[in-house]
Structures are given as C-alpha cells and as structure tokens.
Amino acid sequence: MNVAPYLNWQQEGMARARELNVPVLMTEYNTVACGGSNISSTFAASLWAVDVGLKAASVNFTAVYLHTREYGVTYNLFDPPTPETSTSPDWVTGAVYYSALFLAEMTDPTGSVIVDLNLNNSNSSPETKVSAYGIYDNAGTSRGKLALINFADANDPGETKAQIFNISAGISESVQIRFLSAPSVYEERNISWAGQTVGENGELVGTQETIRLNCVNGCSVEVPSPGAALVFMSGSYFFSGNSTIPKYASDRDKESDAS
C-alpha cells in the first residue's frame, strides 16, 4: 500500500512552506471522498489511516485531521444507533477510530520528528505490504518509538500469520509493544488497540495489553497479518487507563517505571 502519491503531489509548496516556517494543515482526510465506499468501514481503512498520518508527519505536514460526517457515512469514526437516539447507548465505533487511538499515542508532548524508513521500498512500490516509521521524541533529539504496519492478510493464499521486524542491538535496552489488530483486513467490528475494543458507551473494554521484550542484544517484533505495532523504546511514555471518555483518568506511565 503506497500512500506517497496521495501526500507528495504538492512537494514544491510544502518545501516553500518549510523555508518560510509556515504551518501546513490537511483539514480533513479519510478513505473515499463524499461518503466512503465498501472499504471505508474495514480494518484495511484503519491501517491506511495510520499510514497516512505517519507519512504526512514525515513530509512536513503540521497536522492532519480525520474526517467524520453525519449519521450513516461509512468512514465515520462513530455513529449513534439512529439519528434520533444520539443520547442512547449502542453507538457503533468505526474502524478509523482505532487509527486515532494509535496515532494519539504516537506523538510526544515535547514534539516528535517522524522518519519514513522506506522499508521494502514502501515509498515508491504500490506492491509492498509493509511500512515502518522511526519516531524521535523530545523535539526530535531522542529515539522514542517505531511504528510498524503489516497490510498482509493471513487469510489470503500464500500469506504468513505475521511479519517479523528485527530491531538491532544497541537501539534500545528493552521495548514495549502495543498492537492494533483484527482477524482480517475486511473486519469491521472485531478490532482492538492494545487488547481493548470500544464499548457501547465509548469506554475501552478489556484488559490493556503491553508486551515487553528485552532488546539488549536485539529483538524481533512479530506483527500479525494484518496489523500494526507501536514499539516504545526505553524511557519513552505510553498511556494507561481508559483514555476515550473524560470521566476516566489517563495516566502517562514511563516505560522504565513500568518494567
């Protein structure tokens, strides 16, 4: 999946804006304009929206905004049961809402610099099924995270159950990993972020899962097919608790304290 043409068509203008220190905003993005399509409500859209958010940051967009519309639009982040029952439970959470949860944990309050690692020639090849980004925190001065995306679907002939991403020795003493996952790229409801799904009242349901690996001598991260992983380096921060609705406290735990 190659998102570079979608974001790079105005490279000359982006370069000029950077020279003049002018912020560049994409005021709305989502899968298919004017109401979406049959892919807009699927896990494929979740992965695509994550990839676009990361790629946009790497090419110097200051901010990009996921678009949502009136009831019934297939790419919506969430929908009430009916247009007349917006105060009732049983809201439906859209696939791209999970993209927003992933991207919210990607950045650092002090500022982040995102670098496209061009894994398997992902910058130019429409056939590649992986994408990877390096995220430098503390205004770009320290290694913070890796974002790893696997677009393959294990249900398709010839595909494996996971894509292995290797992290070399000396990068981080340990890593902590959270996964964005679903059984298939066509899945619409059974999607989880860090082991949790969004319940009928907007709360995160299930036990929050963070996998810890010793990485002193290097380590391997297996990203399910399909799926994405946010890999936190030693000393970087991640959110704990229920961060989807205001009444829940959202604490930021430091990796070294949680180990």
Side-chain angles (χ1 to χ4, degrees):
M1 190 177 293
N2 181 19
V3 300
Y6 173 65
L7 294 164
N8 287 341
W9 63 270
Q10 73 285 52
Q11 281 183 314
E12 185 177 346
M14 295 289 292
R16 183 62 175 156
R18 185 172 185 175
E19 289 174 4
L20 298 174
N21 199 29
V22 174
V24 179
L25 308 181
M26 183 185 291
T27 55
E28 61 179 63
Y29 85 97
N30 213 309
T31 49
V32 180
C34 303
S37 75
N38 60 342
I39 65 164
S40 298
S41 58
T42 68
F43 188 58
S46 307
L47 297 177
W48 178 87
V50 168
D51 199 17
V52 170
L54 288 158
K55 183 65 176 178
S58 75
V59 298
N60 209 42
F61 277 93
T62 308
V64 292
Y65 297 91
L66 271 168
H67 185 48
T68 195
R69 280 181 51 183
E70 69 275 8
Y71 173 82
V73 174
T74 57
Y75 60 59
N76 280 350
L77 277 71
F78 35 73
D79 261 337
T82 71
E84 294 76 28
T85 55
S86 61
T87 59
S88 301
D90 297 323
W91 279 57
V92 173
T93 302
V96 292
Y97 185 82
Y98 290 92
S99 314
L101 293 179
F102 185 107
L103 292 169
E105 292 205 41
M106 173 199 77
T107 55
D108 186 80
T110 61
S112 297
V113 172
I114 315 297
V115 177
D116 187 336
L117 302 179
N118 195 27
L119 195 65
N120 290 4
N121 204 28
S122 60
N123 267 333
S124 58
S125 173
E127 304 300 324
T128 186
K129 295 182 180 180
V130 296
S131 193
Y133 296 85
I135 303 164
Y136 293 82
D137 293 336
N138 298 316
T141 61
S142 63
R143 294 185 183 117
K145 309 170 192 77
L146 289 169
L148 311 173
I149 307 173
N150 179 14
F151 297 103
D153 193 322
N155 299 297
D156 293 338
E159 296 293 349
T160 59
K161 292 183 178 180
Q163 172 70 44
I164 298 176
F165 296 82
N166 295 315
I167 301 174
S168 300
I171 300 296
S172 180
E173 291 185 359
S174 63
V175 296
Q176 296 193 97
I177 310 159
R178 288 183 171 175
F179 289 104
L180 177 64
S181 61
S184 163
V185 292
Y186 305 106
E187 180 62 45
E188 297 185 4
R189 296 288 176 263
N190 187 17
I191 301 171
S192 66
W193 165 240
Q196 296 180 305
T197 57
V198 181
E200 63 180 17
N201 293 315
E203 79 281 13
L204 286 169
V205 176
T207 302
Q208 194 172 60
E209 297 176 356
T210 306
I211 297 172
R212 296 168 174 82
L213 296 178
N214 184 313
C215 209
V216 172
N217 298 315
C219 54
S220 297
V221 179
E222 291 191 18
V223 180
S225 303
L230 191 57
V231 182
F232 300 80
M233 304 296 178
S234 297
S236 61
Y237 293 88
F238 61 88
F239 287 92
S240 66
N242 196 316
S243 59
T244 60
I245 47 182
K247 74 175 184 176
Y248 285 88
S250 297
D251 300 323
R252 298 179 73 241
D253 290 342
K254 196 168 184 179
E255 186 275 343
S256 57
D257 294 337
S259 297

mmCIF file of all heavy atoms in Angstrom, residues 7-9 42 62 66 69 76 82 87 93 125 128 131 133 142 160 165 195 198 205 207 211 217 257:
data_model
loop_
_atom_site.group_PDB
_atom_site.id
_atom_site.type_symbol
_atom_site.label_atom_id
_atom_site.label_comp_id
_atom_site.label_asym_id
_atom_site.label_seq_id
_atom_site.Cartn_x
_atom_site.Cartn_y
_atom_site.Cartn_z
ATOM 1 N N LEU A 7 0.116 12.100 -0.761
ATOM 2 C CA LEU A 7 0.602 13.191 0.081
ATOM 3 C C LEU A 7 1.689 14.043 -0.567
ATOM 4 O O LEU A 7 1.946 15.156 -0.114
ATOM 5 C CB LEU A 7 1.145 12.610 1.398
ATOM 6 C CG LEU A 7 0.099 11.967 2.299
ATOM 7 C CD1 LEU A 7 0.769 11.100 3.365
ATOM 8 C CD2 LEU A 7 -0.777 13.018 2.963
ATOM 9 N N ASN A 8 2.324 13.547 -1.606
ATOM 10 C CA ASN A 8 3.501 14.236 -2.162
ATOM 11 C C ASN A 8 3.220 15.061 -3.415
ATOM 12 O O ASN A 8 4.147 15.625 -3.996
ATOM 13 C CB ASN A 8 4.598 13.214 -2.491
ATOM 14 C CG ASN A 8 5.270 12.674 -1.246
ATOM 15 O OD1 ASN A 8 5.205 13.270 -0.170
ATOM 16 N ND2 ASN A 8 5.918 11.524 -1.376
ATOM 17 N N TRP A 9 1.976 15.158 -3.830
ATOM 18 C CA TRP A 9 1.696 15.842 -5.090
ATOM 19 C C TRP A 9 2.042 17.334 -5.025
ATOM 20 O O TRP A 9 2.293 17.970 -6.043
ATOM 21 C CB TRP A 9 0.231 15.650 -5.485
ATOM 22 C CG TRP A 9 -0.755 16.254 -4.505
ATOM 23 C CD1 TRP A 9 -1.299 15.642 -3.430
ATOM 24 C CD2 TRP A 9 -1.291 17.573 -4.542
ATOM 25 N NE1 TRP A 9 -2.148 16.497 -2.765
ATOM 26 C CE2 TRP A 9 -2.156 17.695 -3.434
ATOM 27 C CE3 TRP A 9 -1.120 18.674 -5.385
ATOM 28 C CZ2 TRP A 9 -2.862 18.866 -3.147
ATOM 29 C CZ3 TRP A 9 -1.828 19.846 -5.103
ATOM 30 C CH2 TRP A 9 -2.685 19.936 -3.999
ATOM 31 N N THR A 42 -13.706 -0.864 7.060
ATOM 32 C CA THR A 42 -12.957 -2.080 7.339
ATOM 33 C C THR A 42 -11.624 -1.802 8.031
ATOM 34 O O THR A 42 -11.160 -0.664 8.095
ATOM 35 C CB THR A 42 -12.665 -2.848 6.036
ATOM 36 O OG1 THR A 42 -11.730 -2.080 5.246
ATOM 37 C CG2 THR A 42 -13.935 -3.075 5.239
ATOM 38 N N THR A 62 2.012 19.859 9.332
ATOM 39 C CA THR A 62 1.959 20.237 10.742
ATOM 40 C C THR A 62 0.879 19.451 11.477
ATOM 41 O O THR A 62 1.056 19.047 12.630
ATOM 42 C CB THR A 62 1.673 21.733 10.870
ATOM 43 O OG1 THR A 62 2.612 22.461 10.072
ATOM 44 C CG2 THR A 62 1.785 22.190 12.320
ATOM 45 N N LEU A 66 -8.613 13.611 10.802
ATOM 46 C CA LEU A 66 -9.513 12.572 10.310
ATOM 47 C C LEU A 66 -10.933 13.125 10.218
ATOM 48 O O LEU A 66 -11.448 13.711 11.178
ATOM 49 C CB LEU A 66 -9.485 11.366 11.245
ATOM 50 C CG LEU A 66 -8.446 10.296 10.952
ATOM 51 C CD1 LEU A 66 -8.344 9.329 12.121
ATOM 52 C CD2 LEU A 66 -8.774 9.537 9.669
ATOM 53 N N ARG A 69 -18.556 12.487 9.436
ATOM 54 C CA ARG A 69 -19.703 13.235 8.921
ATOM 55 C C ARG A 69 -20.991 12.828 9.617
ATOM 56 O O ARG A 69 -20.991 12.275 10.709
ATOM 57 C CB ARG A 69 -19.835 13.017 7.405
ATOM 58 C CG ARG A 69 -18.887 13.858 6.580
ATOM 59 C CD ARG A 69 -19.073 13.633 5.089
ATOM 60 N NE ARG A 69 -20.465 13.770 4.674
ATOM 61 C CZ ARG A 69 -20.881 13.566 3.423
ATOM 62 N NH1 ARG A 69 -20.018 13.202 2.485
ATOM 63 N NH2 ARG A 69 -22.158 13.712 3.115
ATOM 64 N N ASN A 76 -17.229 7.074 8.972
ATOM 65 C CA ASN A 76 -17.345 7.792 10.244
ATOM 66 C C ASN A 76 -16.528 7.138 11.356
ATOM 67 O O ASN A 76 -16.386 5.917 11.408
ATOM 68 C CB ASN A 76 -18.804 7.860 10.686
ATOM 69 C CG ASN A 76 -19.574 8.955 9.972
ATOM 70 O OD1 ASN A 76 -18.983 9.790 9.276
ATOM 71 N ND2 ASN A 76 -20.891 8.967 10.127
ATOM 72 N N THR A 82 -29.373 5.570 15.908
ATOM 73 C CA THR A 82 -30.150 6.206 14.838
ATOM 74 C C THR A 82 -29.899 7.701 14.947
ATOM 75 O O THR A 82 -29.426 8.190 15.993
ATOM 76 C CB THR A 82 -31.661 5.932 14.961
ATOM 77 O OG1 THR A 82 -32.171 6.657 16.081
ATOM 78 C CG2 THR A 82 -31.952 4.447 15.112
ATOM 79 N N THR A 87 -28.399 10.216 22.304
ATOM 80 C CA THR A 87 -28.098 10.144 23.733
ATOM 81 C C THR A 87 -28.245 8.730 24.285
ATOM 82 O O THR A 87 -28.086 8.512 25.479
ATOM 83 C CB THR A 87 -29.013 11.096 24.524
ATOM 84 O OG1 THR A 87 -30.386 10.739 24.292
ATOM 85 C CG2 THR A 87 -28.780 12.536 24.102
ATOM 86 N N THR A 93 -18.730 2.041 16.766
ATOM 87 C CA THR A 93 -17.406 2.635 16.581
ATOM 88 C C THR A 93 -16.849 2.237 15.227
ATOM 89 O O THR A 93 -16.785 1.061 14.895
ATOM 90 C CB THR A 93 -16.440 2.173 17.691
ATOM 91 O OG1 THR A 93 -16.985 2.546 18.961
ATOM 92 C CG2 THR A 93 -15.073 2.812 17.520
ATOM 93 N N SER A 125 6.833 1.713 -4.066
ATOM 94 C CA SER A 125 6.253 0.477 -4.584
ATOM 95 C C SER A 125 4.809 0.297 -4.112
ATOM 96 O O SER A 125 4.559 0.183 -2.906
ATOM 97 C CB SER A 125 7.072 -0.734 -4.132
ATOM 98 O OG SER A 125 6.412 -1.935 -4.493
ATOM 99 N N THR A 128 4.198 -3.214 -2.063
ATOM 100 C CA THR A 128 4.714 -3.561 -0.741
ATOM 101 C C THR A 128 3.584 -3.727 0.258
ATOM 102 O O THR A 128 2.566 -3.039 0.188
ATOM 103 C CB THR A 128 5.712 -2.496 -0.246
ATOM 104 O OG1 THR A 128 6.304 -2.942 0.980
ATOM 105 C CG2 THR A 128 5.023 -1.170 0.001
ATOM 106 N N SER A 131 5.116 -1.239 6.078
ATOM 107 C CA SER A 131 5.550 0.152 6.186
ATOM 108 C C SER A 131 6.125 0.336 7.582
ATOM 109 O O SER A 131 5.691 -0.329 8.530
ATOM 110 C CB SER A 131 4.368 1.099 5.961
ATOM 111 O OG SER A 131 4.803 2.421 5.770
ATOM 112 N N TYR A 133 8.097 3.371 10.385
ATOM 113 C CA TYR A 133 8.475 4.748 10.664
ATOM 114 C C TYR A 133 9.262 4.815 11.968
ATOM 115 O O TYR A 133 8.942 4.114 12.935
ATOM 116 C CB TYR A 133 7.233 5.635 10.806
ATOM 117 C CG TYR A 133 6.416 5.745 9.538
ATOM 118 C CD1 TYR A 133 5.456 4.782 9.223
ATOM 119 C CD2 TYR A 133 6.603 6.800 8.653
ATOM 120 C CE1 TYR A 133 4.709 4.863 8.062
ATOM 121 C CE2 TYR A 133 5.852 6.891 7.485
ATOM 122 C CZ TYR A 133 4.914 5.920 7.198
ATOM 123 O OH TYR A 133 4.173 6.006 6.043
ATOM 124 N N SER A 142 15.771 12.383 20.551
ATOM 125 C CA SER A 142 15.994 11.049 21.114
ATOM 126 C C SER A 142 15.076 10.021 20.459
ATOM 127 O O SER A 142 13.959 10.345 20.037
ATOM 128 C CB SER A 142 15.765 11.054 22.633
ATOM 129 O OG SER A 142 14.419 11.384 22.931
ATOM 130 N N THR A 160 1.675 -15.275 5.335
ATOM 131 C CA THR A 160 2.032 -15.819 6.643
ATOM 132 C C THR A 160 1.183 -15.178 7.734
ATOM 133 O O THR A 160 0.513 -14.167 7.507
ATOM 134 C CB THR A 160 3.522 -15.570 6.939
ATOM 135 O OG1 THR A 160 3.768 -14.159 6.907
ATOM 136 C CG2 THR A 160 4.389 -16.255 5.893
ATOM 137 N N PHE A 165 9.716 -8.053 12.167
ATOM 138 C CA PHE A 165 10.544 -6.858 12.068
ATOM 139 C C PHE A 165 11.678 -6.986 13.085
ATOM 140 O O PHE A 165 11.417 -7.196 14.278
ATOM 141 C CB PHE A 165 9.734 -5.598 12.363
ATOM 142 C CG PHE A 165 8.623 -5.315 11.388
ATOM 143 C CD1 PHE A 165 7.393 -5.954 11.510
ATOM 144 C CD2 PHE A 165 8.806 -4.402 10.358
ATOM 145 C CE1 PHE A 165 6.359 -5.680 10.622
ATOM 146 C CE2 PHE A 165 7.780 -4.117 9.461
ATOM 147 C CZ PHE A 165 6.561 -4.763 9.597
ATOM 148 N N GLY A 195 -5.236 -4.630 22.918
ATOM 149 C CA GLY A 195 -6.078 -5.638 23.534
ATOM 150 C C GLY A 195 -7.468 -5.167 23.912
ATOM 151 O O GLY A 195 -8.262 -5.951 24.444
ATOM 152 N N VAL A 198 -13.690 -0.705 21.823
ATOM 153 C CA VAL A 198 -14.528 0.377 22.344
ATOM 154 C C VAL A 198 -15.934 -0.157 22.598
ATOM 155 O O VAL A 198 -16.573 -0.727 21.715
ATOM 156 C CB VAL A 198 -14.576 1.557 21.357
ATOM 157 C CG1 VAL A 198 -15.446 2.682 21.927
ATOM 158 C CG2 VAL A 198 -13.163 2.069 21.088
ATOM 159 N N VAL A 205 -12.975 -1.473 26.541
ATOM 160 C CA VAL A 205 -13.379 -2.719 27.202
ATOM 161 C C VAL A 205 -12.273 -3.747 27.040
ATOM 162 O O VAL A 205 -11.702 -3.897 25.959
ATOM 163 C CB VAL A 205 -14.687 -3.247 26.591
ATOM 164 C CG1 VAL A 205 -15.063 -4.589 27.210
ATOM 165 C CG2 VAL A 205 -15.815 -2.238 26.776
ATOM 166 N N THR A 207 -8.758 -5.900 28.944
ATOM 167 C CA THR A 207 -7.517 -5.596 29.656
ATOM 168 C C THR A 207 -6.504 -4.987 28.698
ATOM 169 O O THR A 207 -6.211 -5.544 27.641
ATOM 170 C CB THR A 207 -6.926 -6.873 30.276
ATOM 171 O OG1 THR A 207 -7.893 -7.449 31.167
ATOM 172 C CG2 THR A 207 -5.650 -6.557 31.044
ATOM 173 N N ILE A 211 3.190 -5.598 25.612
ATOM 174 C CA ILE A 211 4.176 -6.682 25.616
ATOM 175 C C ILE A 211 5.576 -6.097 25.802
ATOM 176 O O ILE A 211 5.948 -5.129 25.135
ATOM 177 C CB ILE A 211 4.102 -7.476 24.301
ATOM 178 C CG1 ILE A 211 2.733 -8.146 24.183
ATOM 179 C CG2 ILE A 211 5.220 -8.517 24.215
ATOM 180 C CD1 ILE A 211 2.481 -8.804 22.847
ATOM 181 N N ASN A 217 20.433 -7.304 23.158
ATOM 182 C CA ASN A 217 21.152 -7.946 22.051
ATOM 183 C C ASN A 217 20.345 -7.970 20.756
ATOM 184 O O ASN A 217 20.588 -8.788 19.873
ATOM 185 C CB ASN A 217 21.534 -9.372 22.459
ATOM 186 C CG ASN A 217 22.469 -9.391 23.639
ATOM 187 O OD1 ASN A 217 23.434 -8.637 23.690
ATOM 188 N ND2 ASN A 217 22.161 -10.242 24.610
ATOM 189 N N ASP A 257 9.605 2.841 34.549
ATOM 190 C CA ASP A 257 8.921 2.631 35.809
ATOM 191 C C ASP A 257 7.992 1.431 35.752
ATOM 192 O O ASP A 257 7.722 0.772 36.749
ATOM 193 C CB ASP A 257 8.075 3.872 36.174
ATOM 194 C CG ASP A 257 8.948 5.085 36.461
ATOM 195 O OD1 ASP A 257 10.123 4.877 36.806
ATOM 196 O OD2 ASP A 257 8.456 6.215 36.315
#
